[in-house]
Structures are given as C-alpha cells and as structure tokens.
Amino acid sequence: MTTTLITGANKGLGYETARRLIAAGHTVYLGARSIERGAAAADELGARFVQLDVTDDASVAAAVAAIAADGGLDVLVNNAGIEVRSPEGDLIGAAELTADVMREVFETNVFGLVRVTHAFLPLLERSAAPVVVNVSSGLASLARAGKGYRGVAYPASKTAVNMLTVQFATAFPLMRINAVEPGYTATDLNRHEGTQTVEEGAEIIVRMAQLEPDGPTGGYFGAAGPLPW
C-alpha cells in the first residue's frame, strides 16, 4: 500500500489529487492548516487528516511524528502555495513590489516546501519507491517569462521551486523528484479566474505521484510533457 501526504489539500488541486489517489489505492494523509476544514475534507474523501502548517516548524514536526507512528511515507506532494495581491485584488507588479510581499509568498511557497521536504526525508528514504511532487507553475519558466503576467513574487517563488527540485533530485538519486505545472486552474489562489477545472489541473500531479522507480526525476512537466526551464 502506497502512503501519500498532500500539503494544502483541504480544497482545490490538493483535494482533487487526494480524491484521485485514494481511488487509485493510496492511503492519503490530507494536510491542512485548519483542523476544522481539513478534518471535514478528509472525512468526505476517506483520507487521514494531519494538521500541517508548512510555515511552522512545530506543526511540521508533529505531522512527521504522526505519520511515522502509523508506518511511514512513500509519496510527498508539496501542493501548499499562496499568491498575494493588493487589497483591491490586483496583481502586484514590479513597481509595487515590496520585500514584505516577497517574504510572505516565499515563506509558504519556498521555505515551507523546504521545511516539509527536509522533515520528511528520513521517512521517504525508508520507502522502497519514494516520490516527491513539487507543484510549480508554468509561470516559473524563465524561457516564457514576461509574457502577459505582471505579478512578480508568485512566479519567482515557483522558479525557486524548480531549482530546489533539480538540486534535491541530484542529491537523492533513488527518489523520483519532479516539478509539475497544473495549468491555469480555477482555484481560490487565482480567485477562480483559471480556465481549467481542478480535475484537469490535477491530472499531471496524480500522474507524477504514481511514478515507478524507473520514472523520470529532476524534471519539470505539464500535462503534455516536459516544459522549458
């Protein structure tokens, strides 16, 4: 039985990924900051709930202890992420960007990913087929940068996620560690402005979460295949 943890999974892409992986036979830990919302989502899906705030060391440590006590972990999906906008709901461009905005976004999207990955590495290393899926974005691609999206902090954070993916994959060659681009999916993160459904967006996450030991690692993938860095 494959045991999977998904961060930020009480709604949106994380919730849909949990649903699909449970249907595929995974034992899924649904990680969420809110105990109330997370437990309710886990009950709906038949998942196991674990309280997990990726920005809090104590919360992450407690989640590691809980999952270790139940037997271990095979797949980690780093899905939790935020985008910060102005009070009016506008994207924050270069002219309006502040260090505080960058810090807030990176605390979840980058430092949170590192915090969770580092904490769960001992459990993943005990797995016979460990997999890490880092939910990135098409906006992370430097080859595509500057084409229509004026926000700065969010794409910069996801570009950092891509670099982390490559470096972790290099350091842990027995793990399958990849970054994925779900596409422009309608979720709370983008005020449901996305043009895809969560079912469509979760497709690549679910696919990469089920990689075999001979699958790719250190890559950056969308639903149609590899993406330009």
Side-chain angles (χ1 to χ4, degrees):
M1 179 71 75
T2 300
T3 300
T4 299
L5 167 65
I6 306 169
T7 66
N10 63 289
K11 60 183 179 179
L13 286 169
Y15 183 93
E16 176 62 17
T17 299
R19 185 187 71 80
R20 297 268 289 278
L21 290 177
I22 290 168
H26 287 219
T27 296
V28 171
Y29 284 89
L30 187 152
R33 287 180 298 176
S34 168
I35 294 175
E36 181 179 1
R37 291 192 294 270
D43 285 345
E44 290 170 3
L45 291 171
R48 299 181 183 184
F49 171 65
V50 61
Q51 196 280 331
L52 180 56
D53 180 349
V54 303
T55 69
D56 182 78
D57 289 331
S59 172
V60 174
V64 172
I67 293 174
D70 276 349
L73 186 68
D74 303 297
V75 179
L76 170 62
V77 179
N78 283 308
N79 170 71
I82 64 169
E83 178 192 59
V84 173
R85 298 198 181 194
S86 73
E88 297 75 32
D90 297 325
L91 293 171
I92 298 174
E96 304 87 34
L97 184 67
T98 65
D100 286 342
V101 169
M102 289 291 287
R103 188 176 295 110
E104 182 178 356
V105 173
F106 270 59
E107 186 59 54
T108 294
N109 296 3
V110 180
F111 306 146
L113 182 148
V114 172
R115 180 178 288 109
V116 171
T117 302
H118 176 76
F120 279 97
L121 278 174
L123 295 187
L124 290 166
E125 288 186 291
R126 294 175 204 161
S127 170
V131 171
V132 178
V133 181
N134 294 327
V135 178
S136 182
S137 168
L139 297 172
S141 171
L142 293 174
R144 298 177 174 181
K147 294 178 172 64
Y149 181 90
R150 66 184 296 271
V152 179
Y154 181 78
S157 74
K158 293 303 187 178
T159 301
V161 166
N162 284 3
M163 177 59 77
L164 289 167
T165 298
V166 172
Q167 296 296 76
F168 271 101
T170 301
F172 297 96
L174 297 182
M175 298 187 190
R176 305 298 90 188
I177 305 176
N178 293 285
V180 300
E181 137 72 334
Y184 192 31
T185 303
T187 66
D188 285 355
L189 183 140
N190 57 39
R191 280 63 170 177
H192 291 269
E193 295 169 356
T195 55
Q196 288 188 156
T197 65
V198 290
E199 290 81 7
E200 292 170 318
E203 177 63 35
I204 186 61
I205 308 174
V206 171
R207 188 192 314 168
M208 300 307 283
Q210 298 181 89
L211 282 183
E212 298 294 333
D214 61 351
T217 192
Y220 175 36
F221 298 94
L227 296 173
W229 296 104

